[in-house]
Amino acid sequence: MLDEYGNEVKAHIKAFPADSKALANELAGWILHRAAGIETAERIWVIILSNAELRALFPAVDWGDADDWPSLAVQHISGQPVSAKSAELWVDELAAWHSTAPCIAMAEWLWEIDGNAGNLINTGRGEFAAIDFADSFGGPHWTPARLRKNTHAPFYNKRLHIAWGGIATPAQRQAAQESAARHASILARHWRDITHWWDHLLKPKQIQAAHDFLLARAAVNWMDHRL
Amino acid sequence: MKPSKIADALRAANPASKPRQPAYTGTGHWLYWHSPSGEMLPIGVAIHLNGVTYRQIAEHNDIQQTVAALWGETVAWQLGKLLDNTTTALYDKTGNLPEGISAEAIELCQGDNPAQILDRLWRHGVADSLLLKKKPPSQLAERSISGSNPEAVPDEPAENTRDAAASAVVPPKRGGHGQ
């Protein structure tokens, strides 16, 4: 596709059902990962696809009769998903990656339930990038009530299991806690960036519930009891 | 809220966003060669616009050396024949692709003109092939056009027409920063 300057860019197009909050989740996830310095796609775009384009790209989905559909384009990351190779080839590198602790802490913060091996791209020389944040907030069909109910509920942090075998060592735990200590300031600095988009995608009550959820999970020492 | 209303609101909130109105919209196919060692390696691309098929297929001379080095001279010679047969199959719409060549659908391709679409698909897809990677695309491929409507050969790109991913909403302030 062409970017906003008319330059060609290789990107992946994602479109989501109307009743899904996946686009909102993707936007917030990308903004917060970037803010935490975690490698992810360099750029993403909200693009408006026509009904005809949607039907051509995703023929198996019923897109109804809406003319325009807000969708996501994610700049391609060169590399291979870590799921493409056997674990022995990347597990040591992933454990040593400088963003592993922030990445695990971020998943814990956002209630990112799908940080599977296919969503970590090995970009070579010991570097990785995290993609696909549609399943933040426990999944794309979250509700304010569900967020409130699960603010402190444990969940299966896939990134924790992929990188650290499910149990953090004391040093790893400390690294994750240090990363988590930045979450509150990240949220404060970037919440406006998120609401720039969310104001048009979500209802005020949903936005408020998500903010409350993130704020509670960014509290001092919150991560100490999680990993 | 309806998706079209959300789209309108996003456009209003992002005045720097640009509508895309590509002159050409169609479908296509990536073309792959099945190497003796089991890889599927891109060897070309074909697009179908308004009943016309446009194709760009690797030149045998440009890949022969690499193929011979990896799989031997016999395989390199056989691949040359396969490329010829692939070109013929694409020219003759009733022809099937030869054994050893497969196609993967491109569900949507858009752009100002067929040559531009073909060129972009080549550069961002086929040119990354192991067989072609180190050479400029202009030296690599045969360009040809076939179909029932040869007079529809493209004009030069029109100004202010746009490419795929119609109607991109871009961020208002941050330039390349996506959100």
Side-chain angles (χ1 to χ4, degrees), chain A residues 1-5 8 10 27 30-31 43-46 48 53 56-57 68-70 193 196-197 200-201, chain B residues 3-4 6 11 13-14 18 20 107 110 120 123-124 163 165-167 169-170 172 174-179:
Chain A
M1 57 171 255
L2 299 183
D3 71 7
E4 59 273 35
Y5 306 111
E8 292 170 26
K10 192 170 178 178
L27 296 170
W30 184 84
I31 289 169
R43 294 187 291 169
I44 63 174
W45 298 263
V46 174
I48 307 299
E53 289 168 332
L57 288 169
D68 292 332
W69 205 277
D193 299 333
H196 173 81
W197 301 99
H200 310 291
L201 297 171
Chain B
S4 52
I6 294 173
R11 284 193 188 99
N14 297 278
K18 298 174 185 173
R20 308 281 195 209
E107 292 84 358
Q110 297 177 322
R120 287 175 176 162
R123 284 188 287 109
H124 294 287
D163 195 56
S167 307
V169 171
V170 298
R174 293 211 222 159
H177 197 253
Q179 311 302 313

Side-chain angles (χ1 to χ4, degrees), chain A residues 145-196:
Chain A
R146 191 154 176 255
L147 293 185
R148 281 192 291 272
K149 184 180 175 187
N150 289 280
T151 298
H152 303 294
F155 77 104
Y156 188 85
N157 185 334
K158 292 182 183 177
R159 290 179 185 170
L160 173 68
H161 287 261
I162 291 167
W164 291 347
I167 301 171
T169 65
Q172 289 168 337
R173 191 175 298 118
Q174 184 180 349
Q177 288 164 0
E178 287 170 2
S179 295
R182 296 179 55 218
H183 288 170
S185 65
I186 288 171
L187 182 64
R189 279 187 283 118
H190 294 277
W191 183 244
R192 279 186 64 182
D193 299 333
I194 293 172
T195 55
H196 173 81

Side-chain angles (χ1 to χ4, degrees), chain B residues 27-112:
Chain B
T27 60
H29 286 93
W30 300 110
L31 299 164
Y32 294 95
W33 172 56
H34 299 212
S35 80
S37 43
E39 298 103 323
M40 282 176 59
L41 300 171
I43 51 96
V45 61
I47 56 173
H48 319 292
L49 307 170
N50 301 332
V52 183
T53 296
Y54 305 82
R55 65 178 182 272
Q56 190 164 347
I57 297 173
E59 285 278 8
H60 185 229
N61 286 345
D62 290 322
I63 61 175
Q64 184 180 18
Q65 201 173 352
T66 303
V67 174
L70 292 171
W71 295 285
E73 293 287 348
T74 304
V75 171
W77 180 84
Q78 289 169 338
L79 178 55
K81 294 295 174 194
L82 275 179
L83 294 176
D84 290 344
N85 293 341
T86 302
T87 302
T88 305
L90 290 169
Y91 183 78
D92 175 10
K93 284 184 174 176
T94 58
N96 295 320
L97 289 172
E99 193 172 342
I101 300 291
S102 64
E104 180 190 358
I106 300 169
E107 292 84 358
L108 180 71
C109 54
Q110 297 177 322
D112 295 334

